[in-house]
Amino acid sequence: MLIERRAAHPLLPVRIFRNRVRAGGYLALTLAMASMFAMFYFLTLFVQQILGYSPLRTGIAFLPFALGIVVTATVAGRAMTRIQPRIIAGIGTLLAAFSMAMFSRLSVDDSPAASALAATGGTTVGGNVSYWGQVFPYLIFMAVGMGMVLAGLTPASLHRLAPQDTGVGSGSGLFNAAQQLGGSVGLAVLSSVSLHFAGQRTEQVIGPITTALPGDPEAVGRALLQATFTEGVTHAFLVGSILLLLASLIVWTNNDERNCAEESASER
């Protein structure tokens, strides 16, 4: 960043971040993408490892999300002629946060006895979880929310952007970089959260599971996965919901137009 400030033609002009609306939009997008990318990762594993879906069936189960986000982003983009983008993005972050909060409430019988039984029987402990009742509705909420976020935050990346900085700040530049940064950092952070709570759960159940499955380390490993995975991912979903609430707070408060004349003058 220090080198970029001294460069005659910097790849990333620091002046890009002097506009509060624009900088806030990038930050909100980074937080939102951190949560959404992690949701994909953890929910995919949950559906396969705990619900017992095959990879093909899992892919089909996620198709409504892909369709929902495309349709919502298109509709929201057209609605911006009548509704402020900030309102669209703000509602979207709240919907996505609600979805993540509901995912954090997923519950299975992951007791040592049930986990050991599933490991020896080649089944999973997620038989009580209904895809249509406990996964699908909130997958749609997430799709609608993120579609609104992407559509609503796109104008923020171009807010009072000087013509020579359009390529840097638009979808091919910082807007896309914020998505990628949020996804990678968010997955790393939420994976750490998941592993922490799964580790705590492991300490609680490893004794009873080892006793129930003596002399079978492979079965013990499968049972531990069934007994600890849900504990880890639900806490990751909860933290993801908090990240989306922070993004929502930024969006709703990011409407300070004071000193716009000074900002525009400095960016020229």
Side-chain angles (χ1 to χ4, degrees):
M1 186 64 73
L2 292 175
I3 295 175
E4 292 291 286
R5 293 185 66 177
R6 298 193 188 99
H9 302 287
L11 294 174
L12 179 58
V14 180
R15 60 180 176 269
I16 292 287
F17 301 102
R18 290 175 184 163
N19 182 282
R20 174 175 173 172
V21 173
R22 193 163 56 238
Y26 293 138
L27 179 57
L29 181 65
T30 300
L31 292 172
M33 290 299 107
S35 183
M36 188 187 78
F37 275 65
M39 182 276 293
F40 266 124
Y41 176 74
F42 290 118
L43 192 60
T44 298
L45 291 178
F46 179 84
V47 168
Q48 292 190 61
Q49 301 292 343
I50 305 302
L51 299 191
Y53 281 29
S54 68
L56 176 60
R57 189 180 178 188
T58 300
I60 295 174
F62 274 86
L63 281 178
F65 179 88
L67 295 174
I69 200 170
V70 170
V71 172
T72 301
T74 302
V75 173
R78 294 175 179 174
M80 282 192 292
T81 58
R82 303 182 301 276
I83 305 173
Q84 291 184 27
R86 181 173 65 96
I87 295 176
I88 292 176
I91 294 174
T93 50
L94 291 176
L95 288 174
F98 169 73
S99 174
M100 290 292 282
M102 296 309 295
F103 284 140
S104 74
R105 294 171 58 86
L106 288 168
S107 177
V108 300
D109 181 7
D110 55 4
S111 64
S115 301
L117 182 62
T120 55
T123 60
T124 62
V125 296
N128 65 309
V129 177
S130 167
Y131 167 79
W132 294 106
Q134 296 169 268
V135 177
F136 176 78
Y138 309 115
L139 202 62
I140 296 301
F141 272 113
M142 191 71 175
V144 172
M146 294 311 300
M148 296 176 72
V149 168
L150 291 172
L153 290 181
T154 299
S157 68
L158 299 172
H159 184 75
R160 296 183 177 274
L161 196 63
Q164 67 269 25
D165 295 329
T166 302
V168 176
S170 64
S172 60
L174 277 175
F175 190 81
N176 184 60
Q179 296 182 61
Q180 301 303 318
L181 177 65
S184 56
V185 174
L187 183 56
V189 171
L190 296 185
S191 292
S192 299
V193 171
S194 177
L195 288 173
H196 171 74
F197 285 98
Q200 288 186 338
R201 176 67 176 164
T202 299
E203 294 177 359
Q204 298 171 1
V205 301
I206 189 169
I209 287 178
T210 303
T211 301
L213 301 170
D216 192 347
E218 291 187 6
V220 169
R222 293 194 299 270
L224 283 175
L225 174 66
Q226 296 298 312
T228 62
F229 188 80
T230 302
E231 181 76 10
V233 299
T234 50
H235 280 88
F237 288 142
L238 181 60
V239 175
S241 177
I242 294 172
L243 293 179
L244 282 162
L245 289 176
L246 289 175
S248 186
L249 178 63
I250 293 171
V251 171
W252 287 112
T253 59
N254 194 22
N255 195 36
D256 189 356
E257 293 294 334
R258 292 174 299 179
N259 302 322
C260 278
E262 288 83 351
E263 290 176 351
S264 297
S266 65
E267 289 174 356
R268 298 191 190 98

